[in-house]
Amino acid sequence: MMNTELLSVVVMFVGTLLLAVPLGKYIAKVYAGEKLLGDKVFNPIEKLFFKISRIDATKEMTWKQHLKTLLTINLIWFLWAMFCLTNQGWLPLNPDNIASQSPDLAFNTAISFLVNCNLQHYSGETGASYFTQIYALMFLQFVSAGSGMAAAAVVFNALKERTTDKLGNFYNYFLKSCTRILLPLCLLMATIQIFEGSPMTYKGMDTITTIQGDKQHVSRGPVAGFVAIKHLGTNGGGFYGANSAHPLENPSYLTNMVQMIAQVLIPFAMVFAMGYYLRRKKLAWMIWGVMTVGFLALVIPTINAEIAGNPLIAKMGITQSHGSMEGKETRFGAMASAYWSIATTVISTGSVNSMHDSAMPLSSMNMMLGMMINSFYGGVGVGFLNFYIYLILAVFIGGLMVGRTPEFLGKKVEAKEMKIAMIVALLHPFLILVGTAIASHLAAHNTVMGWWWMGAGGRPMRASMWLNNSGYHGFSEMLYEYTSSSANNGSGFEGLGDNNPFWNITTGIVLILSRFLPIIGPVAIAGLLASKKHIPESAGTLKPDTATFGLLILAVKVIIAALAFFPAMALGPIAEWLSMK
Amino acid sequence: MKKEILSSTILTALCIIFFSGLYPLILTGIAELAPGKGEGILQVVQGKKYYVNIAQKFTDDKYFWPRPSVVDYNAAGSAGSNKGPSNTDYLALVQLRIDTFSARNPDIAKQDIPSELVTSSGSGLDPDISPQAALAQASRVAKSRNISIEEVKDLIKQQTEKPLLGLLGPEKINVLKLNIELDNLN
């Protein structure tokens, strides 16, 4: 029984790698502007798009122009999503008569889909019309992934061994990421979903009578297309409230494997794409190796904890031969659920096929660590950007250790780049810990929240009422929410009562800062380095594609995460774990 | 800047038409070819339509029961309990489920109750149980239907779905299909 589960986990991991290497080669070709398989279909479409939009896609941009373009188009997407969310009540494609979202919820939803997070303080069945799901949310799932990948492409371009300030065209990178990489894969994956039983219809909710004679409602919708881009773009926002635990969103073991592979595929492939693009395959394998060591260090203990079951239920005399099953689905089993819970948190998908709030304490610690480090693979595009920050830090520390000016790929890393890297690296713990500190303070003092949280009929709510669990686990619920926001992950300890102005607004602000600063930082560093003089390699150059350097990066990550987050972990999951002994 | 805003706006509009209009349109076309025509997998029994992948509520002794549901098997929503593993209220609820199950299945020893029958699923709509969870209910079902337990066990064996390709993932049984077959026995 467990053997078939273990085998499937191995198949998922190896399968992803086998697909990611050729895909990486293909992605490198896309960004290098080489001839591609789909040129006959897509070239005319892209040309038409650029012509109507009056864009010269051959005009190369500086890093500043790239960022300006990225931020401008993101602002337009945000306004479009806000319009859809606050007006969905009267807009078309709303067979279930879903009301418009309140301004604070719409703000949180629009931001979180814009930044590729998909935090979802609403449930799909009751909070979003089909129009919103497809024309606002799914649209953002495509373009937010596309713009993250475009930012990574700019950094790839800047890492080439030459001196320039011209780094390709943003619109070109962005559109091709969507049309050439995301769309074909989505069509394939959505077709598998449809044939395995995911709905793809605009007919509203169905009502049937069960065998025992009860009335049963069944939410339907254009699910299959949504689920495909949700994973391939590492967005993670579910069509339904229960996300990929829902039997229509993830109907079978096959779809579970496809979704699992799909969400890790492009984060893997982007690393190899860099290797092909820069002709530094060894560097790519080194980076992938560091990421994989980190991933395995988190996933193995998590699988162990989940298949062992809950010790407090064992005390009741129940044999848990299938592992801990609270919040899990029978068709996936404990092992594939545990594997998923770590994969979805080390990359920034945040889709779930089991409820993380009910996971064992050490599993939830590993999930949070995955998001705190946020670059053991990481999200599409941005995972590589996060890794790049750690890489620059490691180059600097390595340079100090050998007593030379730090260099990376023939470019001197100096004070300005280091300052940017440090700001980006420290922003993440700052947002998580400050947010959690404020929320815990309010909960501990049971503050009356006033405007920040009104119950039905204007009843003022108290802060501790947003917790679904008390004690250490309650603290973990708040810590997880800010960690997930700052990592742009989107999974949650969903017991937390987070649909109120306090959580909608504070996490919304965290989302904006934690998306755009970690894009601006690496692009700026790469742009600054690209314009510097190229220094040929010498005997004293720190070689970045060695295992030694890989270890150095891993050490930098572990030290930053351990120093920043250990105290908070000790108060949450570690304390809960000790209390269950 | 003005030109950039204009260009970005037009490109956005075109992308909306392409990714939110055309892409789903192709998929609804493909769905016409699929079983259930894009409305999920359906089974019709005596003119009545059921969703195979959505758990139904079964409480009668003569039917196999699915896993506990937080949403009471109402698929207008979906949710897990989100109770933490050390939550005392939650643990009391699990104990209550164990006691209830024991009371209604007196032939089953406590250590033979599979954990998934006393814990709620992630979606609240989990259509499956493990073969062990079906076997734990076999005696109750057989007694209330006045049929032999072997007959019920044979049906369980016949309805057990093997792992994908015989190799990947857990074995399971769809509770709805099992109960439909059970009704066909009589």
Side-chain angles (χ1 to χ4, degrees):
Chain A
M1 185 77 184
M2 282 290 180
N3 288 338
T4 54
E5 292 186 45
L6 181 62
L7 181 65
S8 76
V9 165
V10 175
V11 168
M12 281 191 269
F13 183 81
V14 177
T16 313
L17 181 59
L18 292 179
L19 292 170
V21 175
L23 180 64
K25 197 171 184 179
Y26 172 80
I27 292 175
K29 279 188 183 175
V30 172
Y31 294 141
E34 290 174 28
K35 279 203 174 106
L36 300 165
L37 194 63
D39 276 347
K40 275 195 184 143
V41 184
F42 288 112
N43 263 347
I45 297 173
E46 288 155 0
K47 274 191 186 142
L48 184 71
F49 275 27
F50 288 136
K51 198 177 159 200
I52 300 175
S53 316
R54 296 178 213 171
I55 291 166
D56 178 3
T58 57
K59 201 177 128 197
E60 297 215 38
M61 297 176 171
T62 64
W63 66 269
K64 281 183 188 163
Q65 287 167 331
H66 271 289
L67 290 174
K68 206 170 101 186
T69 312
L70 182 144
L71 294 174
T72 308
I73 202 163
N74 268 269
L75 181 67
I76 291 162
W77 296 339
F78 170 71
L79 296 174
W80 165 247
M82 275 303 275
F83 168 77
C84 294
L85 289 161
T86 50
N87 291 284
Q88 62 180 1
W90 61 266
L91 283 168
L93 295 178
N94 187 9
D96 298 337
N97 293 315
I98 286 163
S100 299
Q101 291 192 355
S102 65
D104 60 293
L105 178 59
F107 166 75
N108 188 280
T109 309
I111 287 291
S112 87
F113 277 82
L114 179 75
V115 306
N116 202 260
C117 174
N118 304 194
L119 202 56
Q120 298 191 294
H121 287 175
Y122 65 95
S123 273
E125 294 96 327
T126 52
S129 71
Y130 294 165
F131 187 84
T132 296
Q133 297 264 33
I134 294 301
Y135 283 85
L137 305 182
M138 193 181 81
F139 164 72
L140 287 179
Q141 291 185 326
F142 269 104
V143 295
S144 66
S147 56
M149 293 169 78
V154 176
V155 172
F156 292 174
N157 194 329
L159 290 176
K160 280 187 191 164
E161 290 185 28
R162 63 182 183 338
T163 303
T164 181
D165 61 349
K166 300 270 184 257
L167 301 171
N169 182 283
F170 179 81
Y171 294 115
N172 183 44
Y173 287 150
F174 153 70
L175 189 63
K176 283 194 173 162
S177 302
C178 295
T179 53
R180 303 303 184 96
I181 303 166
L182 295 169
L183 186 69
L185 289 169
C186 280
L187 281 169
L188 177 67
M189 177 171 165
T191 305
I192 297 174
Q193 287 284 145
I194 291 170
F195 277 84
E196 283 291 295
S198 280
M200 188 67 208
T201 174
Y202 289 97
K203 289 179 190 165
M205 193 186 293
D206 200 4
T207 305
I208 63 159
T209 308
T210 66
I211 291 187
Q212 275 202 166
D214 301 309
K215 279 259 175 299
Q216 187 183 37
H217 303 290
V218 178
S219 254
R220 299 182 291 186
V223 182
F226 195 92
V227 176
I229 183 61
K230 156 192 166 189
H231 287 108
L232 285 160
T234 65
N235 294 281
F239 192 91
Y240 295 113
N243 209 297
S244 279
H246 196 291
L248 294 181
E249 188 148 342
N250 193 0
S252 66
Y253 204 81
L254 177 65
T255 57
N256 191 60
M257 290 185 74
V258 169
Q259 291 181 18
M260 186 67 258
I261 291 171
Q263 59 183 310
V264 193
L265 182 61
I266 295 180
F268 271 27
M270 285 304 275
V271 177
F272 299 117
M274 181 222 60
Y276 285 112
Y277 188 88
L278 299 175
R279 297 202 175 77
R280 285 180 177 274
K281 280 188 219 170
K282 212 178 147 197
L283 179 66
W285 280 102
M286 185 282 289
I287 292 176
W288 186 82
V290 171
M291 291 172 161
T292 301
V293 168
F295 174 64
L296 293 178
L298 295 175
V299 84
I300 293 169
T302 303
I303 288 179
N304 273 332
E306 294 302 319
I307 60 175
N310 184 342
L312 298 178
I313 292 183
K315 277 187 193 155
M316 298 174 191
I318 296 289
T319 323
Q320 299 171 80
S321 56
H322 299 138
S324 165
M325 286 303 284
E326 182 68 37
K328 295 196 180 64
E329 298 280 301
T330 312
R331 64 192 177 285
F332 311 139
M335 208 181 286
S337 301
Y339 181 79
W340 179 304
S341 70
I342 294 302
T344 194
T345 43
V346 296
I347 55 171
S348 76
T349 318
S351 67
V352 298
N353 74 347
S354 68
M355 295 301 128
H356 290 189
D357 214 344
S358 299
M360 292 300 113
L362 290 187
S363 308
S364 49
M365 180 181 79
N366 291 337
M367 293 170 202
M368 284 192 254
L369 274 175
M371 295 186 281
M372 285 161 175
I373 293 166
N374 211 20
S375 57
F376 289 151
Y377 307 131
V380 290
V382 290
F384 180 79
L385 299 185
N386 288 334
F387 193 93
Y388 182 66
I389 291 292
Y390 285 112
L391 208 147
I392 293 293
L393 292 177
V395 163
F396 182 73
I397 292 168
L400 291 183
M401 283 160 82
V402 295
R404 285 178 57 107
T405 314
E407 292 165 18
F408 180 60
L409 303 187
K411 299 297 174 80
K412 270 189 185 153
V413 179
E414 289 167 305
K416 203 169 176 186
E417 292 84 45
M418 279 312 298
K419 279 180 198 157
I420 300 172
M422 278 319 295
I423 290 170
V424 174
L426 293 178
L427 176 79
H428 190 49
F430 178 80
L431 292 174
I432 294 171
L433 297 174
V434 170
T436 312
I438 293 171
S440 317
H441 177 84
L442 294 170
H445 290 81
N446 210 7
T447 312
V448 177
M449 293 304 289
W451 177 85
W452 292 92
W453 191 15
M454 290 286 192
R459 190 165 54 97
M461 304 289 273
R462 285 179 174 272
S464 70
M465 291 157 84
W466 61 48
L467 299 176
N468 192 40
N469 293 280
S470 58
Y472 309 127
H473 197 87
F475 176 79
S476 298
E477 283 183 335
M478 296 182 280
L479 178 63
Y480 195 107
E481 186 69 9
Y482 283 110
T483 306
S484 174
S485 305
S486 185
N488 283 187
N489 183 274
S491 64
F493 272 16
E494 292 301 337
L496 184 75
D498 49 18
N499 183 13
N500 51 59
F502 175 79
W503 285 98
N504 283 335
I505 293 170
T506 57
T507 55
I509 293 167
V510 169
L511 288 169
I512 299 175
L513 293 174
S514 61
R515 165 74 169 184
F516 293 108
L517 292 181
I519 285 182
I520 293 170
V523 170
I525 293 173
L528 289 169
L529 291 184
S531 59
K532 290 188 186 184
K533 200 164 67 97
H534 181 256
I535 315 154
E537 239 176 64
S538 69
T541 307
L542 183 77
K543 294 227 172 14
D545 51 3
T546 57
T548 320
F549 187 65
L551 267 175
L552 188 61
I553 298 178
L554 199 61
V556 169
K557 286 185 186 213
V558 171
I559 290 165
I560 289 182
L563 290 180
F565 295 114
F566 181 75
M569 287 295 196
L571 293 173
I574 296 177
E576 189 185 14
W577 177 64
L578 291 171
S579 76
M580 285 171 74
K581 283 257 154 188
Chain B
M1 197 63 204
K2 215 169 149 190
K3 185 187 169 291
E4 249 170 47
I5 293 175
L6 185 71
S7 291
S8 296
T9 310
I10 301 172
L11 186 62
T12 299
L14 292 171
C15 285
I16 291 171
I17 296 168
F18 196 64
F19 296 110
S20 298
L22 189 65
Y23 162 70
L25 191 69
I26 295 170
L27 294 178
T28 41
I30 292 172
E32 286 300 310
L33 308 171
K37 301 207 166 181
E39 294 180 30
I41 295 174
L42 304 166
Q43 186 163 350
V44 178
V45 180
Q46 292 164 356
K48 282 166 74 183
K49 179 178 85 172
Y50 302 126
Y51 284 84
V52 173
N53 287 325
I54 301 288
Q56 290 190 5
K57 186 176 181 174
F58 287 105
T59 47
D60 254 333
D61 276 349
K62 63 172 184 173
Y63 286 118
F64 286 93
W65 304 335
R67 300 183 58 196
S69 165
V70 175
V71 295
D72 200 27
Y73 310 99
N74 180 359
S78 56
S81 72
N82 287 311
K83 296 292 184 193
S86 62
N87 185 320
T88 43
D89 294 341
Y90 160 69
L91 293 166
L93 180 66
V94 173
Q95 186 64 57
L96 181 70
R97 287 186 189 135
I98 295 171
D99 295 342
T100 312
F101 191 88
S102 292
R104 292 183 64 182
N105 297 271
D107 303 341
I108 301 300
K110 214 189 213 177
Q111 66 267 22
D112 292 333
I113 304 174
S115 59
E116 75 256 32
L117 284 180
V118 293
T119 52
S120 53
S121 64
S123 61
L125 307 169
D126 190 346
D128 304 305
I129 52 177
S130 68
Q132 291 89 326
L135 287 172
Q137 305 183 51
S139 150
R140 180 196 78 228
V141 170
K143 272 187 190 161
S144 79
R145 287 182 180 253
N146 273 325
I147 52 177
S148 75
I149 190 161
E150 275 67 38
E151 212 174 340
V152 177
K153 281 185 178 169
D154 283 346
L155 189 67
I156 291 172
K157 205 171 173 190
Q158 177 208 324
Q159 285 294 313
T160 300
E161 295 171 36
K162 291 279 161 222
L164 183 64
L165 306 172
L167 292 172
L168 308 171
E171 286 187 331
K172 61 186 169 59
I173 295 180
N174 184 296
V175 180
L176 176 70
K177 285 190 193 166
L178 181 63
N179 283 331
I180 290 172
E181 290 306 314
L182 200 57
D183 275 346
N184 286 344
L185 281 182
N186 293 27

